[in-house]
Amino acid sequence: MVDTSFFKNNGPFDLKKIASITDSVLKDETNGSVQINDIATMDKAGSNEICFFYDKKMKEKASEMKASACITTNELASLVPSETAVLISENPKIAFLKLNLALYAEYSSEAGISSKANIHKTAQIGQNCSIADFVTIEEGAVIGDNCRIEAGAYIGRNCQIGEGCRIGVNAYVSYCIMGKNCFIYTGARIGTDGFGFDFIDGKHQRIPQVGRVIIGDDVEIGANSCVDRGALDDTVIGSGTRIDNLVQIAHNDKLGMGCICCSGVGVAGSTQIGNYVVLGGQVGIADHIKIGDGAQIAAQSGVMRDVEGGAVLLGTPAVPFKDFMRQVAFLQKSIKK
Amino acid sequence: MVDTSFFKNNGPFDLKKIASITDSVLKDETNGSVQINDIATMDKAGSNEICFFYDKKMKEKASEMKASACITTNELASLVPSETAVLISENPKIAFLKLNLALYAEYSSEAGISSKANIHKTAQIGQNCSIADFVTIEEGAVIGDNCRIEAGAYIGRNCQIGEGCRIGVNAYVSYCIMGKNCFIYTGARIGTDGFGFDFIDGKHQRIPQVGRVIIGDDVEIGANSCVDRGALDDTVIGSGTRIDNLVQIAHNDKLGMGCICCSGVGVAGSTQIGNYVVLGGQVGIADHIKIGDGAQIAAQSGVMRDVEGGAVLLGTPAVPFKDFMRQVAFLQKSIKK
Amino acid sequence: MVDTSFFKNNGPFDLKKIASITDSVLKDETNGSVQINDIATMDKAGSNEICFFYDKKMKEKASEMKASACITTNELASLVPSETAVLISENPKIAFLKLNLALYAEYSSEAGISSKANIHKTAQIGQNCSIADFVTIEEGAVIGDNCRIEAGAYIGRNCQIGEGCRIGVNAYVSYCIMGKNCFIYTGARIGTDGFGFDFIDGKHQRIPQVGRVIIGDDVEIGANSCVDRGALDDTVIGSGTRIDNLVQIAHNDKLGMGCICCSGVGVAGSTQIGNYVVLGGQVGIADHIKIGDGAQIAAQSGVMRDVEGGAVLLGTPAVPFKDFMRQVAFLQKSIKK
């Protein structure tokens, strides 16, 4: 049961409305007026609650279902107990997402600018923004309409933040041009100096980092992740890319559109990553390499060379998935001799 | 020598008192009135200082000891110079901990609520709390007695924080029910959105994350670590668990009691970890797996499958400790041929 | 083209001045009055802009150069088109650094102490410091001249910060003695408790951490990195050492001078690292070991044993570079059989 002290419940909805929201078909139309208050997992859903059944591993447990309603596929529907109203969906996973979005909302701060924020007089704040306490917005920064800047966040000089962005608690954004509808999570650090030095007279002398961070639309950058600004060129994060927590993106990196970077990923500097690339957790990518569109690098892998589009790699150094599995099998066999 | 500008020294203590504090026995009772001001390492301890000798590797250096007193085992006592007063303990390591706790205290802020904090009028603050400057406590949050909320920390709407908790500087807590005596370190992020998306029409559409983070009693979560809230289910951290810095715990993870997660660990979503499990530094755990009670996973390992209780694993993919060592030996031998 | 909304351009400079700044020689002195406004990469530089040509991989592209001027080596100069004025340098990379430093400056906050900062009355602030909003400086802290403490940063009780230091937005510094000209990046955590416990009566009892963090001169500690204070001894970071983002340095670690720790590195406790050691991204170092001067550990390696000075290691467990490459070749060959 979703905790309504944390999330706003827009229900109850009847099953007729739920069928419409989720693009599903109610098997028995006489159930159209059944009231649903909540969504829950298959094993926990009870009276006036709806669950979703699409994982075939759960087949054996289907008969124990206690939910008032269940959205499932045509194929799995016969396994649902007769007491449970059935809605048929082509994709119950997406139906779940749609109902979830309709039924629940996060509590969000109201529009308004806190008197405890520090906003430079030359900064421009759009319509209907929420700017919380202890926020700093520096000279010349431009914040689009409908943005939400949370407590203690920092927006540096002359940054441009597109409309509908959310900048989380204590996040840091500098030297950055950001598109629309981005979400920078709490503690993320955008626009810090790249890690570049020349060794002169026994010292690592810092190379000035005079590039920027360019972020597309609808980008998420997770909690405590870091995106360094470019050295001379820019660091670029393409639209629709999702970056998890504790990820490092170094100076001059270019990430394409719709990429996924799981937690703990580190991408060294000046690397080019195509569109829809997936980097699993704790993956490391060397500097100055190219990764083609749609490549998938499994968790903990280390990539030292260019990767072709569509490749599926694993290991350090990363090799094709099958080769890795063969290496593992070979090693296991060898030590048993 | 402990720097008393940083830590409060409750001494000096005489050896009779130290014997009592540490459950040890003074070998020569006439030394009971010897005054001790400080604790130090064996090689550095001098006049009016006490050291602890339990590491057998230090046997050769024992004769160089200059400390006024030494807590050691019955077995090692004969190696201590005659000028040093000896206290015999069954476990000098624990004796050290006890004396350390008695002799030193951190300077801690006094109880009181800063006028520069932003506390919603509906939030409930317990007795004897310390709430520092630039703290935000949102609507309906409940803070137990004797809590310490440090500068710039953020407590989200309707969170419940048990008594005796410490929430560090600039830490973030949201969608969270927390037990007693927990310590959330500076920069930790609790309750952020899990990293879950459905790919619809060429976009990674965020799945609403409507679960919570449930934290037991006496839990520590290290600096800049992240614990995402559940998707529909909750993320759970069991009592007595210790999480180091820069660790990622994903949505729906369940950690049991008394676990240890060293720095850099990443646990992917919906994984169940038993009680007293130890995860070494930089370990990665895949999603949707189970790790049994008391399992130990060595540093940098990658776990892709369920792990039995008590197993000791190493490597990526993680294998039993002996197998890993055999693999290493086999590879070294193979390249020498 | 460097974005002057983010960086201050001190130009234009003529080529005579640039030759002087960069210790280079203008090939044709009649070009001395050519005006340069900006620096850019070889492929992007145009009219009134200067580029740097020292990467031999770029030889083929040299003929396409459109820059007004180019700093290059004597060897490569003949490849530069005749329309581009040439300056000869022994080290164009360092020439680039020097011109960059002269031509651009970051916009920096003016000296002054914000009325919205919380500075304890016993804290000492040096001359010409900039202390931003929402900063906390605790009792007895001493801040040297020309320091810059950014928004929301925290300086703990009795810390000493040398002159010319920059403490980034929302950074945390406690139990710390810091030298001159250090840069602690946004979100870094210095002086947190080390991760040390004794297992007593079924609980991991915290060992009090009564040491400090001692930081030399000219040290950089990256965004969201963590340096724990010592347990009884101190944690030490030598002068000139550069630590990237998201790095973990544990209690009692000693890092020498001029070390480089790339992003994602984790060093476990009580380890001693010599001078000018390089740790690649995501490297893990075990506790209580010694790494000699000038050792280089490649990215993602795991070091479990002492390392000799000058060694170049790779892999988990780390082996000499050549051995690692042989292991990789052997495995690839074995699975092809």
Side-chain angles (χ1 to χ4, degrees):
Chain A
M1 205 186 81
V2 173
D3 186 336
T4 52
S5 66
F6 293 125
F7 301 93
K8 204 152 104 184
N9 185 313
N10 298 319
F13 295 161
D14 63 25
L15 286 180
K16 194 175 162 195
K17 182 166 182 180
I18 287 176
S20 161
I21 289 168
T22 62
D23 290 323
S24 60
V25 176
L26 192 55
K27 213 173 163 191
D28 177 351
E29 286 198 2
T30 64
N31 287 323
S33 62
V34 171
Q35 293 288 305
I36 297 296
N37 302 324
D38 204 358
I39 49 182
T41 53
M42 255 179 77
D43 54 326
K44 290 188 181 160
S47 185
N48 298 109
E49 294 177 354
I50 193 166
C51 69
F52 297 79
F53 176 26
Y54 50 86
D55 184 350
K56 289 178 186 174
K57 288 183 205 151
M58 300 296 281
K59 273 184 176 181
E60 290 174 21
K61 302 228 167 159
S63 65
E64 300 165 20
M65 198 182 286
K66 303 275 183 257
S68 288
C70 175
I71 301 189
T72 187
T73 60
N74 203 27
E75 181 195 347
L76 295 171
S78 64
L79 299 174
V80 175
S82 58
E83 297 80 9
T84 300
V86 168
L87 296 95
I88 304 292
S89 162
E90 284 184 25
N91 190 333
K93 209 171 170 185
I94 291 177
F96 167 67
L97 186 147
K98 287 178 176 169
L99 181 57
N100 199 338
L101 280 171
L103 189 58
Y104 288 103
E106 291 185 36
Y107 289 97
S108 174
S109 38
E110 288 175 27
I113 298 178
S114 164
S115 63
K116 290 182 185 163
N118 171 28
I119 300 174
H120 194 275
K121 61 178 189 260
T122 61
Q124 297 173 45
I125 311 292
Q127 298 294 308
N128 199 37
C129 287
S130 156
I131 314 260
D133 291 357
F134 319 128
V135 162
T136 298
I137 299 180
E138 299 278 20
E139 189 174 345
V142 178
I143 313 290
D145 295 343
N146 303 307
C147 284
R148 182 173 159 192
I149 317 288
E150 299 184 354
Y154 177 93
I155 310 290
R157 182 190 173 94
N158 287 334
C159 283
Q160 297 174 35
I161 309 290
E163 61 184 55
C165 287
R166 179 177 170 192
I167 312 294
V169 170
N170 290 333
Y172 172 89
V173 178
S174 63
Y175 304 100
C176 181
I177 313 284
M178 188 183 298
K180 300 177 194 175
N181 301 319
C182 294
F183 185 175
I184 308 300
Y185 282 75
T186 174
R189 313 293 166 190
I190 313 297
T192 38
D193 300 52
F195 195 66
F197 306 94
D198 282 332
F199 196 68
I200 305 176
D201 299 337
K203 290 183 67 173
H204 300 290
Q205 171 110 27
R206 160 200 295 281
I207 299 168
Q209 304 289 308
V210 295
R212 305 170 298 181
V213 177
I214 309 296
I215 296 179
D217 296 333
D218 184 29
V219 167
E220 297 194 19
I221 296 178
N224 287 346
S225 286
C226 300
V227 180
D228 285 344
R229 69 178 185 267
L232 183 53
D233 203 355
D234 293 320
T235 303
V236 179
I237 312 286
S239 291
T241 283
R242 309 271 175 250
I243 294 177
D244 198 356
N245 303 335
L246 294 167
V247 168
Q248 160 75 358
I249 305 295
H251 54 177
N252 309 325
D253 285 341
K254 318 285 183 211
L255 274 70
M257 292 189 304
C259 292
I260 298 265
C261 297
C262 295
S263 178
V265 161
V267 182
S270 301
T271 277
Q272 295 181 41
I273 294 179
N275 298 321
Y276 298 105
V277 169
V278 178
L279 305 181
Q282 299 180 328
V283 160
I285 309 283
D287 56 300
H288 288 91
I289 67 173
K290 290 184 188 179
I291 298 190
D293 290 351
Q296 300 192 20
I297 315 293
Q300 284 197 331
S301 299
V303 177
M304 305 175 181
R305 297 192 199 160
D306 290 358
V307 173
E308 287 191 11
V312 180
L313 303 187
L314 180 52
T316 302
V319 294
F321 189 79
K322 279 185 183 171
D323 285 5
F324 181 81
M325 288 308 177
R326 280 184 198 132
Q327 288 180 6
V328 167
F330 169 75
L331 275 175
Q332 275 304 94
K333 210 177 67 181
S334 299
I335 63 167
K336 297 266 158 78
K337 276 174 189 169
Chain B
M1 206 185 80
V2 174
D3 186 336
T4 52
S5 67
F6 292 125
F7 301 93
K8 205 151 101 184
N9 185 311
N10 298 318
F13 295 161
D14 64 24
L15 286 179
K16 195 175 162 194
K17 182 166 182 180
I18 287 175
S20 161
I21 289 167
T22 61
D23 290 324
S24 61
V25 176
L26 192 55
K27 212 175 164 189
D28 177 350
E29 286 196 4
T30 64
N31 286 325
S33 60
V34 170
Q35 294 287 305
I36 297 296
N37 301 324
D38 203 358
I39 49 182
T41 52
M42 253 179 79
D43 54 328
K44 290 188 181 160
S47 186
N48 297 109
E49 295 178 352
I50 192 166
C51 67
F52 297 78
F53 175 27
Y54 50 85
D55 183 352
K56 290 178 185 171
K57 288 184 207 152
M58 301 296 280
K59 273 185 174 180
E60 290 174 21
K61 302 228 167 160
S63 64
E64 300 166 20
M65 197 183 288
K66 303 274 182 257
S68 288
C70 174
I71 301 190
T72 187
T73 60
N74 203 27
E75 182 194 347
L76 295 170
S78 64
L79 299 174
V80 175
S82 57
E83 297 79 10
T84 300
V86 168
L87 295 96
I88 304 292
S89 162
E90 284 184 23
N91 190 333
K93 210 171 169 183
I94 292 176
F96 167 67
L97 186 148
K98 287 178 176 169
L99 182 57
N100 199 337
L101 280 170
L103 188 58
Y104 288 104
E106 291 186 34
Y107 288 96
S108 173
S109 39
E110 289 175 26
I113 298 178
S114 164
S115 63
K116 290 181 185 163
N118 170 29
I119 300 174
H120 194 276
K121 59 177 190 262
T122 62
Q124 297 172 45
I125 311 292
Q127 299 294 309
N128 198 36
C129 287
S130 155
I131 315 262
D133 292 357
F134 320 127
V135 162
T136 297
I137 299 181
E138 299 279 20
E139 190 173 345
V142 178
I143 313 290
D145 296 343
N146 302 308
C147 284
R148 180 173 160 193
I149 316 289
E150 299 183 352
Y154 177 91
I155 310 290
R157 183 190 172 93
N158 286 334
C159 283
Q160 297 173 35
I161 310 290
E163 61 184 54
C165 288
R166 179 176 170 192
I167 311 295
V169 170
N170 289 334
Y172 171 88
V173 178
S174 64
Y175 305 99
C176 181
I177 313 282
M178 188 184 299
K180 300 176 195 174
N181 301 320
C182 294
F183 186 175
I184 309 302
Y185 282 75
T186 174
R189 313 292 167 191
I190 313 297
T192 37
D193 300 53
F195 194 66
F197 307 94
D198 283 333
F199 195 68
I200 305 176
D201 300 337
K203 288 183 68 173
H204 301 289
Q205 170 109 28
R206 160 199 295 280
I207 300 169
Q209 305 288 308
V210 294
R212 304 170 299 181
V213 177
I214 310 295
I215 296 178
D217 297 332
D218 185 30
V219 167
E220 299 194 18
I221 296 178
N224 287 347
S225 286
C226 300
V227 180
D228 285 345
R229 68 180 186 267
L232 183 53
D233 202 355
D234 293 320
T235 303
V236 179
I237 312 287
S239 292
T241 283
R242 309 269 175 252
I243 294 176
D244 199 357
N245 303 334
L246 295 167
V247 167
Q248 159 76 357
I249 305 294
H251 55 178
N252 310 323
D253 285 340
K254 318 284 183 212
L255 274 70
M257 292 189 305
C259 292
I260 299 264
C261 297
C262 295
S263 178
V265 161
V267 182
S270 301
T271 277
Q272 295 180 39
I273 294 180
N275 299 320
Y276 299 105
V277 169
V278 177
L279 304 181
Q282 300 179 327
V283 160
I285 309 283
D287 56 299
H288 288 91
I289 67 172
K290 290 183 189 178
I291 298 190
D293 291 350
Q296 300 192 20
I297 314 294
Q300 285 197 329
S301 299
V303 177
M304 305 176 182
R305 297 191 198 161
D306 290 357
V307 173
E308 287 190 12
V312 179
L313 302 186
L314 179 53
T316 301
V319 293
F321 189 79
K322 278 186 184 170
D323 285 6
F324 181 81
M325 288 308 175
R326 280 184 199 130
Q327 288 180 5
V328 167
F330 168 75
L331 275 175
Q332 276 303 96
K333 210 177 66 182
S334 299
I335 63 168
K336 296 267 159 76
K337 276 172 188 170
Chain C
M1 205 186 81
V2 173
D3 186 335
T4 52
S5 67
F6 292 125
F7 300 92
K8 204 151 101 186
N9 185 311
N10 298 318
F13 295 161
D14 63 25
L15 286 180
K16 194 175 161 195
K17 182 165 182 180
I18 287 176
S20 161
I21 289 168
T22 61
D23 290 323
S24 62
V25 176
L26 191 54
K27 212 173 164 191
D28 176 353
E29 285 196 4
T30 65
N31 287 324
S33 61
V34 170
Q35 293 287 306
I36 298 296
N37 301 324
D38 203 358
I39 49 182
T41 52
M42 254 179 78
D43 54 325
K44 289 187 181 160
S47 186
N48 297 110
E49 294 177 353
I50 192 166
C51 68
F52 297 78
F53 175 25
Y54 50 85
D55 183 352
K56 289 178 186 173
K57 288 183 206 152
M58 301 296 281
K59 272 184 175 181
E60 290 174 21
K61 301 227 167 160
S63 64
E64 300 165 19
M65 197 183 287
K66 303 275 183 258
S68 288
C70 174
I71 301 189
T72 187
T73 59
N74 203 26
E75 182 195 344
L76 296 169
S78 63
L79 300 173
V80 176
S82 57
E83 298 78 10
T84 300
V86 168
L87 296 95
I88 304 292
S89 162
E90 283 184 24
N91 191 332
K93 210 171 169 184
I94 291 177
F96 167 66
L97 187 148
K98 287 178 176 170
L99 181 57
N100 199 336
L101 280 171
L103 188 59
Y104 287 104
E106 290 186 36
Y107 287 97
S108 174
S109 39
E110 288 175 26
I113 298 177
S114 164
S115 62
K116 290 181 185 163
N118 171 28
I119 300 174
H120 194 277
K121 61 178 189 259
T122 62
Q124 297 173 45
I125 312 293
Q127 299 294 309
N128 199 37
C129 287
S130 156
I131 315 262
D133 291 359
F134 319 127
V135 163
T136 297
I137 299 181
E138 299 279 20
E139 190 175 344
V142 178
I143 313 291
D145 295 343
N146 303 308
C147 284
R148 181 174 160 192
I149 316 289
E150 299 183 354
Y154 177 92
I155 310 289
R157 183 191 172 93
N158 286 334
C159 283
Q160 296 174 36
I161 309 290
E163 62 185 53
C165 288
R166 179 177 170 191
I167 311 294
V169 170
N170 290 333
Y172 171 88
V173 178
S174 64
Y175 305 99
C176 181
I177 313 283
M178 188 184 298
K180 300 178 195 174
N181 301 320
C182 293
F183 185 175
I184 308 301
Y185 282 76
T186 173
R189 313 294 166 190
I190 313 296
T192 38
D193 300 53
F195 195 64
F197 307 95
D198 283 332
F199 195 68
I200 305 177
D201 299 337
K203 290 182 66 174
H204 300 291
Q205 169 109 30
R206 161 199 295 281
I207 300 169
Q209 304 289 307
V210 294
R212 305 170 296 181
V213 177
I214 309 296
I215 296 178
D217 296 332
D218 184 29
V219 167
E220 297 194 20
I221 296 178
N224 287 345
S225 286
C226 300
V227 180
D228 285 345
R229 69 179 186 266
L232 184 53
D233 202 357
D234 294 319
T235 303
V236 179
I237 311 287
S239 292
T241 283
R242 309 269 175 253
I243 293 176
D244 199 355
N245 302 335
L246 295 166
V247 167
Q248 159 74 0
I249 306 294
H251 55 178
N252 309 324
D253 285 340
K254 319 284 183 210
L255 275 70
M257 292 188 304
C259 292
I260 298 264
C261 296
C262 296
S263 179
V265 161
V267 182
S270 301
T271 277
Q272 295 181 39
I273 294 179
N275 299 321
Y276 298 105
V277 169
V278 177
L279 304 181
Q282 299 179 329
V283 159
I285 310 283
D287 57 300
H288 288 91
I289 67 173
K290 289 183 188 179
I291 298 190
D293 291 351
Q296 300 192 21
I297 315 293
Q300 283 196 331
S301 299
V303 177
M304 305 175 182
R305 297 192 198 159
D306 290 358
V307 173
E308 287 190 13
V312 180
L313 303 187
L314 180 52
T316 301
V319 293
F321 189 79
K322 279 185 183 169
D323 285 5
F324 181 82
M325 288 308 176
R326 280 184 198 130
Q327 289 180 4
V328 167
F330 169 76
L331 275 175
Q332 275 303 96
K333 209 178 67 182
S334 299
I335 63 168
K336 297 265 159 76
K337 276 174 188 169

